[in-house]
Amino acid sequence: MADLAIVFHWTPSDCADFSLRELMEWRERARKRSGADSDGAGNGARSQASGHPRRR
């Protein structure tokens, strides 16, 4: 649900009545709109590609 909150600016109560299927469909729409990779590494991959090493 965090994906939906970030991309669509929805609160948890906005999604409370969604079925599991609806949540997964909206999550996929949010992923596509945000440009994230299917494994969820969209932002991390971009920062590493730009020369910023990952801290350990």
Side-chain angles (χ1 to χ4, degrees):
M1 289 176 72
D3 297 346
L4 303 181
I6 292 169
V7 174
F8 299 118
H9 307 283
W10 292 348
T11 65
S13 62
D14 293 329
C15 307
D17 293 330
F18 288 180
S19 68
L20 181 58
R21 177 178 290 241
E22 288 174 311
L23 282 173
M24 296 306 294
E25 289 170 354
W26 280 108
R27 186 200 177 272
E28 178 62 13
R29 290 176 186 146
R31 183 192 65 80
K32 288 179 181 177
R33 184 174 288 190
S34 71
D37 296 335
S38 61
D39 65 359
N43 291 333
R46 278 196 295 270
S47 64
Q48 285 181 353
S50 64
H52 294 81
R54 180 176 281 176
R55 290 186 175 181
R56 294 183 180 180

